[in-house]
């Protein structure tokens, strides 16, 4: 039937695309995955793989997230001119997730795309979903920790503290008796202010 | 008037409630309840490699705790949350070597 032929064609394009991908020919891989999607729009692997190729085409290697953070910390450039591929990647991952809600790699790739797009809290939610689907996934654990530190650096305290799902990992402190703790190497930490009350506006109508 | 009726420093600072948990394998978070405070003014936080000290604010509160982990003082951050009247502390851990 027509549908069977489409599905077979999609799988053939996917295999072809994967071959190009392994050779580092990401643009050609994207062309194959695009033809595959046209042949069978119900195959979740094709948009997920195209998303991965979009992520690779941007950076040329697998260290996408690391370079993102070093760029951020140096403050030299915003990933604006690259946003198109990251948006494509995000969209493809969303499509793959719609087709298969348990596709953890699609959530992980969307999380990566979203960190590049500056959607840090959405990225956090994606990596949290990866961990629900695949407890202990090392990439997700690493990325989540990085994303949480980034949120705190941006002053998004509520996104980390209020939304925490890790409070059960209690660490037990030991109270020091007065004057007993060593004063050496104590660092004074600046205290930011957050979570202000919403002020009512007493303006005449 | 009997001066001992007034609530203040002579009763000694109160030990605030502390929540401490591992948010990630390398990230320790703390929440300190400070319901009598309206802001961070006068509040003091000091962090040592394995120590968390909260004080100041007219001696209303005093917390001095040893933490059984090694935290990165330089990367630690804190914020007073006005609605929740809590001090939030983020303490990345030093790499285990
Ligand atoms: Ca939130």
């Amino acid at each position: 039937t027509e549908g069977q032929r489409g599905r077979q064609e999609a799988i053939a394009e996917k295999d072809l695309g994967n071959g190009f991908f392994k050779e580092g020919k990401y643009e050609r891989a994207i062309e194959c995955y695009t033809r595959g999607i046209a042949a069978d729009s119900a195959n979740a692997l094709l948009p997920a793989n195209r998303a991965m190729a979009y992520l690779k085409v941007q950076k040329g290697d697998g260290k996408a997230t690391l370079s993102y953070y070093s760029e951020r910390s140096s403050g030299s450039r915003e990933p604006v001119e690259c946003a198109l591929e990251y948006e494509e990647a995000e969209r493809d991952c969303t499509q793959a997730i719609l087709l298969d809600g348990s596709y953890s790699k699609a959530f992980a790739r969307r999380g990566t795309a979203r960190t590049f797009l500056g959607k840090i809290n959405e990225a956090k939610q994606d990596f949290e979903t990866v961990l629900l689907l695949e407890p202990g996934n090392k990439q997700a654990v690493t990325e989540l920790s990085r994303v949480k530190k980034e949120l705190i650096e941006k002053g998004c305290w509520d996104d980390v503290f209020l939304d925490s799902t890790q409070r059960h990992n209690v660490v037990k402190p030991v109270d020091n008796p007065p004057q007993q703790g060593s004063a050496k190497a104590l660092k004074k930490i600046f205290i930011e202010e957050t979570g202000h009350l919403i002020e009512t506006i007493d303006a005449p109508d | 008037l009997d001066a001992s009726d007034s609530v203040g420093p002579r009763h000694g600072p109160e030990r605030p409630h502390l929540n401490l948990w591992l948010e990630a394998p390398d990230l320790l978070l703390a929440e300190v309840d400070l319901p009598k405070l309206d802001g961070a003014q006068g509040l003091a936080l000091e962090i040592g490699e394995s120590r968390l000290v909260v004080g100041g604010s007219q001696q209303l509160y005093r917390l001095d705790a040893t933490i059984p982990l090694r935290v990165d003082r330089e990367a630690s951050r804190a914020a007073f949350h006005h609605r929740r009247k809590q001090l939030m502390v983020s303490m990345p851990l030093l790499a285990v070597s």
Side-chain angles (χ1 to χ4, degrees), chain A residues 121 124-125 128 158-166, chain B residues 23:
Chain A
N121 201 33
K124 173 172 162 276
Q125 288 162 16
E128 278 169 344
D158 283 353
D159 288 334
V160 179
F161 278 75
L162 264 70
D163 295 350
S164 172
T165 57
Q166 303 300 312
Chain B
E23 179 65 27

Side-chain angles (χ1 to χ4, degrees), chain A residues 107-126:
Chain A
F107 281 102
R109 286 169 200 164
R110 191 171 67 178
T112 301
R114 286 174 164 178
T115 60
F116 284 105
L117 291 166
K119 299 178 179 177
I120 309 291
N121 201 33
E122 288 96 328
K124 173 172 162 276
Q125 288 162 16
D126 280 340

Side-chain angles (χ1 to χ4, degrees), chain A residues 145 164 174-175 182 185 193, chain B residues 15 23 26 51 66 73 82:
Chain A
S145 174
S164 172
V174 179
D175 276 359
S182 99
E193 309 220 20
Chain B
R15 184 204 179 278
E23 179 65 27
D26 61 347
R51 197 165 157 220
T66 292
R73 281 160 295 194
H82 280 252

Side-chain angles (χ1 to χ4, degrees), chain A residues 166-182:
Chain A
Q166 303 300 312
R167 287 170 182 271
H168 56 278
N169 296 326
V170 171
V171 173
K172 254 192 108 51
V174 179
D175 276 359
N176 293 322
Q179 320 297 325
Q180 287 283 300
S182 99

Side-chain angles (χ1 to χ4, degrees), chain A residues 145 148-149 157-158 162 164 166-167 169 171 173-176 182 185 187 189 192-197, chain B residues 15 20-23 26 30-31 45-48 51 64-66 68 73 77-84:
Chain A
S145 174
K148 285 169 183 173
K149 290 173 192 166
W157 291 88
D158 283 353
L162 264 70
S164 172
Q166 303 300 312
R167 287 170 182 271
N169 296 326
V171 173
V174 179
D175 276 359
N176 293 322
S182 99
K187 180 181 163 39
I189 307 291
E192 300 164 31
E193 309 220 20
T194 189
H196 288 269
L197 298 160
Chain B
R15 184 204 179 278
L20 193 64
W21 73 94
L22 263 185
E23 179 65 27
D26 61 347
E31 249 174 17
L45 169 67
E46 288 177 296
I47 294 179
R51 197 165 157 220
D64 187 345
T66 292
R73 281 160 295 194
R77 302 186 63 133
F80 181 82
H81 197 287
H82 280 252
R83 260 180 288 119
R84 308 177 88 201

